[in-house]
Amino acid sequence: MHSLIFIKEGTCNLVKRCTMPGQPDKKLDVPVVSLPEGSWYGDFHIMTDQKADFSLVAALPNHKDDSITSHMIQVYRLPGEVLLRALNNYPVFSKFARTRALQRRSHFQQVYKDNLAFLEMSHKLELQEIDEMADLIISQNRHLIDGDLDSIKA
């Protein structure tokens, strides 16, 4: 059974691991959302009994404070069984909580798709820029390449 995670201190990032397009051996963690103090995660998976496809990871510190405590997060974990028992006792709130969990899940999925599309486009542009740079270097140095070919022929 899953647990509901409450972020008491610090910030966590929700990420989804995927394979980089065209590079099946390269894995990429696609950022979805940043969850600050007071946020929670896991309600959808508890209520639908589905495996989580997102991961919650500690966010990097902002480096404004160099103390050891600035690098820490604190979370509370509520076992899923406890949440489900509470929801069963309060049907009106249960309906609200389930609706809210579905809305959050839909939002997370859309942000993931948008961010993945952005990363894929960035990757394509990087490859295109590399190709364009290579073409530029070759064209600028064509006289050297042609000269080397002439010396090889001679």
Side-chain angles (χ1 to χ4, degrees), residues 16 46 51 56 62 73 80 82 89 92 98 101 115 148 151:
K16 186 171 182 177
I46 294 169
K51 184 177 184 241
L56 196 62
N62 61 14
I73 61 165
V82 175
N89 290 332
V92 174
R98 290 175 193 279
N115 289 351
D148 286 343
S151 66

Short mmCIF file of all heavy atoms in Angstrom, two decimals, residues 16 46 51 56 62 73 80 82 89 92 98 101 115 148 151:
data_model
loop_
_atom_site.label_atom_id
_atom_site.label_comp_id
_atom_site.label_asym_id
_atom_site.label_seq_id
_atom_site.Cartn_x
_atom_site.Cartn_y
_atom_site.Cartn_z
N LYS A 16 9.59 12.45 -13.35
CA LYS A 16 9.22 11.18 -13.99
C LYS A 16 10.39 10.74 -14.84
O LYS A 16 10.89 11.50 -15.67
CB LYS A 16 7.96 11.34 -14.84
CG LYS A 16 7.46 10.01 -15.41
CD LYS A 16 6.11 10.17 -16.05
CE LYS A 16 5.59 8.85 -16.56
NZ LYS A 16 4.25 8.98 -17.12
N ILE A 46 -3.03 6.14 -3.69
CA ILE A 46 -3.73 5.45 -2.61
C ILE A 46 -5.18 5.21 -3.01
O ILE A 46 -5.70 4.09 -2.89
CB ILE A 46 -3.66 6.26 -1.30
CG1 ILE A 46 -2.22 6.32 -0.81
CG2 ILE A 46 -4.58 5.66 -0.24
CD1 ILE A 46 -1.99 7.31 0.31
N LYS A 51 0.23 1.96 -9.13
CA LYS A 51 1.65 2.16 -8.88
C LYS A 51 2.04 3.60 -9.27
O LYS A 51 1.59 4.11 -10.28
CB LYS A 51 2.47 1.17 -9.71
CG LYS A 51 3.95 1.23 -9.44
CD LYS A 51 4.68 0.18 -10.26
CE LYS A 51 6.14 0.21 -9.88
NZ LYS A 51 7.03 0.53 -10.94
N LEU A 56 9.23 11.41 -5.97
CA LEU A 56 9.40 12.61 -5.17
C LEU A 56 10.84 12.64 -4.69
O LEU A 56 11.31 11.70 -4.07
CB LEU A 56 8.44 12.54 -3.97
CG LEU A 56 8.17 13.82 -3.20
CD1 LEU A 56 7.53 14.86 -4.09
CD2 LEU A 56 7.27 13.53 -2.01
N ASN A 62 19.03 26.20 -2.18
CA ASN A 62 19.15 27.45 -2.94
C ASN A 62 20.47 28.17 -2.70
O ASN A 62 20.72 29.21 -3.26
CB ASN A 62 17.97 28.38 -2.64
CG ASN A 62 17.93 28.77 -1.17
OD1 ASN A 62 18.89 28.58 -0.42
ND2 ASN A 62 16.81 29.31 -0.75
N ILE A 73 15.31 18.15 4.18
CA ILE A 73 13.86 18.27 4.11
C ILE A 73 13.29 17.40 5.23
O ILE A 73 13.97 16.52 5.75
CB ILE A 73 13.30 17.81 2.74
CG1 ILE A 73 13.63 16.34 2.50
CG2 ILE A 73 13.79 18.68 1.62
CD1 ILE A 73 12.83 15.73 1.39
N GLY A 80 -1.36 4.58 3.68
CA GLY A 80 -2.55 4.65 2.84
C GLY A 80 -3.79 4.07 3.48
O GLY A 80 -4.91 4.58 3.29
N VAL A 82 -4.67 4.22 6.55
CA VAL A 82 -5.23 5.21 7.47
C VAL A 82 -6.03 6.25 6.70
O VAL A 82 -7.14 6.62 7.10
CB VAL A 82 -4.10 5.88 8.29
CG1 VAL A 82 -4.64 7.00 9.17
CG2 VAL A 82 -3.36 4.84 9.14
N ASN A 89 -15.09 7.13 6.40
CA ASN A 89 -15.92 7.68 7.47
C ASN A 89 -16.54 9.02 7.10
O ASN A 89 -17.46 9.48 7.78
CB ASN A 89 -15.10 7.83 8.76
CG ASN A 89 -14.76 6.48 9.37
OD1 ASN A 89 -15.48 5.50 9.19
ND2 ASN A 89 -13.64 6.42 10.06
N VAL A 92 -18.62 12.79 2.09
CA VAL A 92 -18.63 14.07 1.37
C VAL A 92 -17.20 14.53 1.15
O VAL A 92 -16.82 14.93 0.04
CB VAL A 92 -19.45 15.13 2.14
CG1 VAL A 92 -19.34 16.49 1.46
CG2 VAL A 92 -20.91 14.70 2.23
N ARG A 98 -11.12 12.83 -3.63
CA ARG A 98 -10.90 12.05 -4.86
C ARG A 98 -10.91 12.96 -6.10
O ARG A 98 -10.09 12.81 -6.99
CB ARG A 98 -11.95 10.94 -4.99
CG ARG A 98 -11.77 9.85 -3.97
CD ARG A 98 -12.89 8.81 -4.02
NE ARG A 98 -12.86 7.94 -2.86
CZ ARG A 98 -12.06 6.90 -2.72
NH1 ARG A 98 -11.23 6.57 -3.67
NH2 ARG A 98 -12.08 6.17 -1.62
N ALA A 101 -7.67 14.85 -6.08
CA ALA A 101 -6.55 13.98 -6.46
C ALA A 101 -6.53 13.78 -7.98
O ALA A 101 -5.45 13.80 -8.60
CB ALA A 101 -6.65 12.64 -5.74
N ASN A 115 6.73 19.44 -20.46
CA ASN A 115 8.16 19.50 -20.18
C ASN A 115 8.94 18.50 -21.02
O ASN A 115 10.04 18.79 -21.49
CB ASN A 115 8.43 19.28 -18.69
CG ASN A 115 8.00 20.45 -17.85
OD1 ASN A 115 7.64 21.50 -18.37
ND2 ASN A 115 8.00 20.28 -16.54
N ASP A 148 44.57 19.42 -48.60
CA ASP A 148 45.10 18.14 -48.14
C ASP A 148 44.79 17.05 -49.16
O ASP A 148 45.61 16.17 -49.41
CB ASP A 148 44.49 17.75 -46.80
CG ASP A 148 45.08 18.59 -45.65
OD1 ASP A 148 46.14 19.19 -45.86
OD2 ASP A 148 44.45 18.62 -44.57
N SER A 151 47.27 17.33 -51.98
CA SER A 151 48.60 16.82 -51.65
C SER A 151 48.61 15.30 -51.60
O SER A 151 49.61 14.66 -51.91
CB SER A 151 49.09 17.41 -50.33
OG SER A 151 48.30 16.97 -49.26
#
